[in-house]
Amino acid sequence: MEIKLKHLRRNYGELHAVDDVSLEIPSNTIFGIIGRSGAGKSTLVRLISMLERPDEGEVYYDDKRVDNLDTKSLIEERRKIGMIFQNFNLFSSRNASENIAYPMEICKMDKSVIKKRTEELLDLVGLGGRGDAPISTLSGGQKQRVAIARALAVNPKILFCDEATSALDPQTTRAILGLLKDIQKKMNLTVVMITHQMEVVRDACDYVAVLDQGRIVEEGKVADVFVHPSSSTTKEFLSNLTNVRDSVVRWSDDGGHFTLRFIGSKTDAPIISTVSNETGAIFNIRAAGVQNVNGEEIGIMVCDIGPNKEAQDKAVASLRQKGIVVEEEK
């Protein structure tokens, strides 16, 4: 299901939590919305999911406007939505199966259908045979798997994930993101991920919108945004990926006035040595690595270029001529 937002605004007194946001979320994709704390992410997802009405603007599911529906119609549309939260929001008084069954009970589905569907969902999320487990006995990752199964219980067309991996360790986060990607493909879902972690966007999303102070400052395909970031907010998020983590390693905290970005086959080419030989430039590499972004190899290098301004300018021109994205710290 495609989602369209047109000039959404939501104010809380003097606070413009969502400020003139227009966005198109393609059907059958994983779309990330990233921003710092307080950027307006959670408010935006509440507007998209119809938990709140906007002060201004319109929300469409496919070509149907949904932000102005009456109560009865709104309830019907909400049944097309599943939601996953950071803190799982499970009932401690119910076991895993009973938590998954809850939305189906609300919809007054037949008990035999509920039982069959619950068992299918437990298998889908990798918890087959654990239906009788009390919630208190499950790990954080297992609780989130139960929450995912519950969100899928009534076959939604849209799945919202509001900081769904923030409470999990890195290894469990990767497993949950892998599960969500598999489920999205199997069920042809439109998945909207709200996050403050660029790793989540990199590892799971097809498209991304960057939110800052209630406004969209950048959007596009994830690989394109990683290679050609245009906003200072996006560049800050990407810079956090150059710490000692994953495949990008920084071994010097000093310097690093240039950031180079390579895409696809350019990550394997001897471009730095070629440019150095052509121009006489000297590269002092401070950080480097290759990341897999939505199935595409993206290389990043943080460096200084010398020994003088003339060699530096020649090197930058040569790099850009060879298709390398070069950003200079001002």
Side-chain angles (χ1 to χ4, degrees), residues 11-12 57 85 87 137 144 158 175 182 190 192 229 275:
N11 303 321
Y12 301 105
F85 303 94
N87 295 320
T137 67
Q144 195 59 286
I158 305 170
D182 289 343
T190 300
V192 180
V275 170

Side-chain angles (χ1 to χ4, degrees), residues 119-189:
E119 290 174 353
E120 290 173 350
L121 288 166
L122 283 166
D123 289 337
L124 180 66
V125 300
L127 292 177
R130 298 298 308 277
D132 293 332
I135 293 301
S136 61
T137 67
L138 300 179
S139 68
Q142 290 170 330
K143 289 177 182 176
Q144 195 59 286
R145 288 172 185 269
V146 173
I148 292 169
R150 182 184 61 184
L152 299 173
V154 292
N155 290 301
K157 295 182 179 180
I158 305 170
L159 181 63
F160 290 98
C161 305
D162 191 359
E163 301 281 9
T165 58
S166 294
L168 306 175
D169 62 77
Q171 183 176 354
T172 305
T173 291
R174 285 191 289 271
I176 292 297
L177 292 178
L179 174 63
L180 287 170
K181 289 175 72 174
D182 289 343
I183 288 171
Q184 187 274 325
K185 290 176 183 177
K186 289 176 182 176
M187 299 183 68
N188 296 319
L189 288 166

Side-chain angles (χ1 to χ4, degrees), residues 62-183:
D62 286 335
D63 294 321
K64 180 178 180 180
R65 186 174 176 182
V66 296
D67 62 279
N68 61 349
L69 297 175
D70 58 49
T71 301
K72 182 179 179 181
S73 300
L74 192 61
I75 291 171
E76 289 298 316
E77 286 297 322
R78 280 180 179 159
R79 287 177 177 166
K80 299 176 183 177
I81 294 172
M83 295 199 72
I84 309 167
F85 303 94
Q86 176 179 350
N87 295 320
F88 320 129
N89 289 7
L90 300 173
F91 296 111
S92 59
S93 59
R94 287 175 166 240
N95 62 28
S97 288
E98 291 166 343
N99 268 279
I100 297 168
Y102 181 72
M104 294 181 279
E105 294 169 1
I106 295 296
C107 293
K108 303 187 185 304
M109 294 171 66
D110 185 84
K111 288 184 178 180
S112 61
V113 174
I114 292 175
K115 187 176 186 298
K116 181 181 178 183
R117 178 67 176 157
T118 299
E119 290 174 353
E120 290 173 350
L121 288 166
L122 283 166
D123 289 337
L124 180 66
V125 300
L127 292 177
R130 298 298 308 277
D132 293 332
I135 293 301
S136 61
T137 67
L138 300 179
S139 68
Q142 290 170 330
K143 289 177 182 176
Q144 195 59 286
R145 288 172 185 269
V146 173
I148 292 169
R150 182 184 61 184
L152 299 173
V154 292
N155 290 301
K157 295 182 179 180
I158 305 170
L159 181 63
F160 290 98
C161 305
D162 191 359
E163 301 281 9
T165 58
S166 294
L168 306 175
D169 62 77
Q171 183 176 354
T172 305
T173 291
R174 285 191 289 271
I176 292 297
L177 292 178
L179 174 63
L180 287 170
K181 289 175 72 174
D182 289 343
I183 288 171

Side-chain angles (χ1 to χ4, degrees), residues 212-323:
D212 188 33
Q213 295 183 343
R215 288 178 171 268
I216 301 294
V217 295
E218 188 160 2
E219 62 178 291
K221 291 184 177 180
V222 170
D224 292 341
V225 170
F226 265 67
V227 175
H228 301 283
S230 61
S231 75
S232 59
T233 303
T234 309
K235 291 175 183 177
E236 182 180 338
F237 275 119
L238 290 174
S239 71
N240 291 332
L241 289 173
T242 62
N243 295 327
V244 182
R245 65 175 77 173
D246 302 318
S247 57
V248 179
V249 178
R250 182 167 190 126
W251 48 84
S252 172
D253 291 328
D254 298 324
H257 291 92
F258 291 88
T259 298
L260 315 182
R261 301 187 192 278
F262 307 71
I263 187 168
S265 61
K266 293 181 176 64
T267 60
D268 291 325
I271 290 174
I272 297 300
S273 59
T274 300
V275 170
S276 182
N277 288 333
E278 289 176 353
T279 65
I282 299 171
F283 289 81
N284 187 359
I285 299 171
R286 309 289 188 168
V290 177
Q291 302 174 76
N292 188 291
V293 180
N294 197 26
E296 188 150 32
E297 295 296 311
I298 304 259
I300 182 172
M301 180 180 292
V302 179
C303 64
D304 292 307
I305 304 174
N308 53 50
K309 185 70 166 57
E310 181 182 0
Q312 184 184 97
D313 290 344
K314 287 181 180 179
V316 169
S318 180
L319 286 165
R320 286 174 173 159
Q321 191 272 329
K322 290 175 170 55

